[in-house]
Amino acid sequence: MTTVKFNVPGINCNHCVHTIKSELSEMEGIQSVGADPATKEVVVEYVSPATPEAIETLLTEINYPVKK
């Protein structure tokens, strides 16, 4: 299992956290999702076939783009 962190400035409230968790959890290979409005971080544990690129793409699609 691999863990990856993303900086997502658009996380502002618990509704944002719920949306991110529910959307990412549907992706094949996602083991756990954590999101924190205070730190603006999303932490994802995953296995194949999920990839950091696919996770980042999905975050962008649901209007939570990753800040690089």
Side-chain angles (χ1 to χ4, degrees):
M1 188 162 31
T2 305
T3 302
V4 65
K5 287 184 183 181
F6 298 98
N7 180 0
V8 182
I11 303 172
N12 296 311
C13 63
N14 286 331
H15 176 73
C16 299
V17 170
H18 175 74
T19 300
I20 289 168
K21 284 184 173 183
S22 63
E23 291 287 336
L24 288 182
S25 293
E26 292 179 14
M27 180 183 283
E28 188 176 354
I30 299 296
Q31 303 296 303
S32 71
V33 180
D36 187 343
T39 63
K40 309 290 186 189
E41 281 189 344
V42 174
V43 179
V44 182
E45 290 184 338
Y46 69 94
V47 295
S48 184
T51 65
E53 295 80 14
I55 296 165
E56 186 174 334
T57 297
L58 181 56
L59 284 168
T60 299
E61 289 174 1
I62 63 170
N63 295 317
Y64 293 99
V66 173
K67 181 180 178 185
K68 296 187 177 194

